[in-house]
Amino acid sequence: DPPFIPEAKLMDMSEDQARAYRDSLAGNKLGGTPGFIQSDELPIPEPWHLLLQLDSALVPFWINFGDAGFGYAFIDRAGTQGKFLWQCC
């Protein structure tokens, strides 16, 4: 995955560049860079790392993250705490 680019910096990119970046982060994955479908929502305080990203439209089971939602599981650097959030369209 490419490095995380905050939403404010994506606004400075061309529409094609921003779309290509977002497309590269879409879908289900373990680890990597989160592909937020709304605004940046990294757990604070940092550092947190993406553990799992689930696209509710692409999993082989029913899960409700709202309308076309994504779920994001994060883990802290020490591996002792986790946080989960979801976003939808």
Side-chain angles (χ1 to χ4, degrees):
D1 280 347
F4 180 73
I5 299 174
E7 185 177 7
K9 290 195 179 208
L10 283 176
M11 301 302 272
D12 294 335
M13 299 170 93
S14 73
E15 189 174 320
D16 289 338
Q17 289 173 317
R19 184 179 307 112
Y21 174 78
R22 287 186 179 105
D23 288 348
S24 73
L25 301 178
N28 300 318
K29 58 183 167 177
L30 295 171
T33 304
F36 293 117
I37 59 174
Q38 292 182 350
S39 60
D40 300 342
E41 203 172 342
L42 291 168
I44 303 294
E46 295 184 40
W48 288 87
H49 302 282
L50 182 69
L51 180 64
L52 173 70
Q53 176 175 294
L54 292 176
D55 178 342
S56 63
L58 298 177
V59 292
F61 48 85
W62 184 87
I63 193 161
N64 186 0
F65 295 137
D67 183 24
F70 276 59
Y72 308 90
F74 292 90
I75 193 163
D76 71 351
R77 186 178 300 263
T80 58
Q81 293 184 56
K83 294 194 177 193
F84 183 83
L85 65 98
W86 58 271
Q87 296 181 335
C88 62
C89 295

